[in-house]
């Protein structure tokens, strides 16, 4: 990892922040379901203004969850990007494993402690 590449915890935090908003989750779900779209396309499909969608797309882009691609007539289409979600999932899996290990050790301690202290 270089200094310019964020670590998994930073990527996960950005994903969680972006997905904390239900409107951004709805936009991302729409892109995943129906494919790449412009902010105008999304405004036609969703009950949100184009300007609001553009702001949400910027935040989703900052988290790496969408990537812009300039097309014909300089129209920018946004493509969903699952890679940051995979990083966030792996981060959560590591946290879960750490907790599982600690809880397992506590359980072992409590089980053995009850055997020696009736």
């Amino acid at each position: 990892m270089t200094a310019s590449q964020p670590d998994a915890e930073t990527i996960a935090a950005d994903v969680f922040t972006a997905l904390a908003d239900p409107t951004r989750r709805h936009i991302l779900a729409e892109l995943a379901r129906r494919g790449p779209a412009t902010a105008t396309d999304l405004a036609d499909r969703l009950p949100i203004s184009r300007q609001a969608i553009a702001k949400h797309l910027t935040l989703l882009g900052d988290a790496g969850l969408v990537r812009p691609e300039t097309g014909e007539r300089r129209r920018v289409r946004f493509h969903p990007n699952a890679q940051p979600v995979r990083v966030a999932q792996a981060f959560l899996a590591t946290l879960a494993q750490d907790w599982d290990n600690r809880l397992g050790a506590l359980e072992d301690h409590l089980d053995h402690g009850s055997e020696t202290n009736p």
Side-chain angles (χ1 to χ4, degrees):
M1 178 173 73
T2 67
S4 65
Q5 292 178 325
D7 63 2
E9 186 173 356
T10 300
I11 293 168
D14 290 346
V15 168
F16 300 145
T17 299
L19 295 180
D21 183 275
T23 301
R24 288 192 287 275
R25 289 193 307 269
H26 195 86
I27 291 168
L28 195 57
E30 182 70 14
L31 290 172
R33 183 173 36 257
R34 296 182 63 184
T38 66
T40 302
D41 295 336
L42 291 166
D44 289 343
R45 298 180 205 160
L46 303 172
I48 309 163
S49 72
R50 194 198 69 72
Q51 292 81 4
I53 286 176
K55 288 180 182 181
H56 285 296
L57 285 169
T58 297
L59 290 168
L60 289 167
D62 290 347
L65 295 168
V66 298
R67 60 180 175 75
E69 181 180 279
T70 304
E72 62 186 52
R73 297 183 294 171
R74 298 186 327 202
R75 289 175 47 108
V76 178
R77 294 175 63 80
F78 292 87
H79 297 257
N81 181 22
Q83 183 57 33
V85 174
R86 287 189 202 90
V87 172
Q89 285 175 319
F91 177 78
L92 287 175
T94 300
L95 286 178
Q97 182 63 43
D98 288 346
W99 274 102
D100 288 345
N101 291 342
R102 289 181 180 152
L103 290 173
L106 177 60
E107 182 179 28
D108 288 346
H109 173 74
L110 293 174
D111 286 346
H112 289 33
S114 65
E115 291 173 5
T116 59
N117 297 320

